Amino acid sequence: MSSDGGAVWTQIDSWFSDGGSCLVHPDSTNIVITGGAGPSYSFCLSVSRDSGRNWTRFDLSGSTYGTCQAIAVAPGQPAKIYAGGAVGSAGAVYVSTDYGRNWTRTTGSLRDTVYSLAVHPTNPATLLAACPSGIFRSTNSGASWTDLSAGTGFKAVLFYQGSPDTILAAGRSGVCISTDAGARWTRLQAGLEGIPVLSLALADRDGDFLIAGTDGHSCYGWSFNVGISADPQILPDASGLKVFPNPCRGKLQIDLPFTATCCIDIFDVTGRNVLHTSILPSESRNRLFLGFLPTGVYQLQLKTGTRTISHRLVISPD
């Protein structure tokens, strides 16, 4: 554990024969949960409620070989915590509804090891699992799973902040993204071709920068502002620019601070221009119809003369 931004580290536990995961609870830094293969190489968890000074041990698979590779808290229900990995030759997910005091194995079956779990930001019963055989979704707390057919060789998955229908996944083939809850996938491979990715993290509060931890290489970063000209001018709220509702679905209204015709471009997360149009300053309230765009995060760019403004836009489900 480090309390100075990573400058100095102190060992707080050495119980596992092989560690696999660690989580500090977002609601309380006193609660630390670690997982891996226990002393007898079974699926084990350790829970501390005093920042790692004392631990409660859970051997969940007993005499059956197992390991824990992933731990995730449900943002909409912080007492609910999931742990994923493998028991025997199959994937396994356990769930606690009391901050890790008791654990129960879910009934749904997964073909192989769960390396990463992500819980829906507002629905604690919906979660994603990254496995070598694919990306899987459960809408009933792990009782059953649906294969989202994103490919194979996955090690990481997460929900994009502010747009839960946007999913990011990574593994042997790099990084991919879906903006429609896993129905379709697009590769985010520029600069990352051929490099396996083991972990993903959104690096800032707005989630505009993605970090990929790779296997045998350095970390790589992806900006979701791609396709936007360098150093766009972000005007404060007092500028008069209003984009609402945001998130939106179908219709978007823009109130302009300009006195000249304005060009509008909308870019998706891959930098592809999905809309180009212009609006007149005489139109006090300009409406765009965006029902043709899939759910996801976009960048709205307004230009007039030499002046450019960028605005983050989220298109939500119906």
Side-chain angles (χ1 to χ4, degrees):
M1 176 179 288
S2 174
S3 58
D4 56 6
V8 178
W9 290 86
T10 303
Q11 181 174 316
I12 60 174
D13 194 19
S14 59
W15 181 66
F16 293 98
S17 295
D18 188 7
S21 55
C22 181
L23 178 140
V24 178
H25 198 285
D27 278 10
S28 173
T29 57
N30 291 327
I31 300 177
V32 182
I33 305 174
T34 58
S40 299
Y41 286 92
S42 53
F43 189 115
C44 289
L45 292 166
S46 292
V47 180
S48 173
R49 303 187 187 280
D50 55 10
S51 301
R53 288 184 291 274
N54 297 282
W55 298 90
T56 301
R57 312 296 189 182
F58 297 89
D59 185 340
L60 298 180
S61 66
S63 60
T64 304
Y65 170 82
T67 182
C68 175
Q69 298 285 354
I71 306 170
V73 175
Q77 186 179 329
K80 193 168 192 176
I81 304 170
Y82 294 93
V87 172
S89 60
V93 175
Y94 292 82
V95 61
S96 171
T97 58
D98 54 8
Y99 289 96
R101 291 180 175 87
N102 296 277
W103 295 88
T104 303
R105 186 170 177 178
T106 63
T107 57
S109 60
L110 290 164
R111 292 193 291 273
D112 46 18
T113 303
V114 177
Y115 282 101
S116 178
L117 289 170
V119 189
H120 192 283
T122 59
N123 185 348
T126 296
L127 65 157
L128 303 171
C131 305
S133 55
I135 299 296
F136 297 85
R137 178 176 59 220
S138 174
T139 58
N140 50 18
S141 299
S144 61
W145 296 88
T146 300
D147 188 348
L148 298 184
S149 301
T152 59
F154 287 98
K155 291 293 184 73
V157 65
L158 53 81
F159 287 99
Y160 191 94
Q161 295 170 194
S163 180
D165 275 355
T166 299
I167 303 168
L168 292 153
R172 183 178 58 208
S173 300
V175 181
C176 58
I177 186 171
S178 172
T179 60
D180 52 11
R184 294 170 295 179
W185 294 87
T186 301
R187 297 287 177 185
L188 301 181
Q189 292 297 85
L192 196 63
E193 291 83 355
I195 300 176
V197 176
L198 301 181
S199 60
L200 292 174
L202 292 166
D204 56 41
R205 183 182 60 186
D206 295 326
D208 289 331
F209 194 76
L210 178 70
I211 294 178
T214 67
D215 184 6
H217 299 262
S218 62
C219 288
Y220 286 74
W222 177 282
S223 172
F224 285 99
N225 291 331
V226 292
I228 305 301
S229 58
D231 300 322
Q233 181 182 5
I234 309 296
L235 296 184
D237 292 340
S239 68
L241 173 65
K242 294 181 180 179
V243 177
F244 59 96
N246 192 7
C248 75
R249 185 60 189 171
K251 295 180 182 179
L252 177 70
Q253 184 167 300
I254 302 174
D255 287 359
L256 294 175
F258 302 135
T259 58
T261 299
C262 177
C263 291
I264 294 181
D265 291 280
I266 295 179
F267 300 86
D268 66 13
V269 293
T270 67
R272 184 170 58 97
N273 190 316
V274 295
L275 177 69
H276 174 76
T277 188
S278 61
I279 54 179
L280 303 174
S282 58
E283 302 173 12
S284 59
R285 291 190 172 182
N286 296 275
R287 291 179 174 84
L288 297 179
F289 296 90
L290 305 178
F292 66 96
L293 293 176
T295 299
V297 180
Y298 295 82
Q299 194 79 12
L300 177 72
Q301 182 174 281
L302 297 89
K303 287 185 178 180
T304 179
T306 60
R307 195 178 187 189
T308 301
I309 302 174
S310 288
H311 202 287
R312 185 168 179 263
L313 172 66
V314 176
I315 297 180
S316 62
D318 290 323

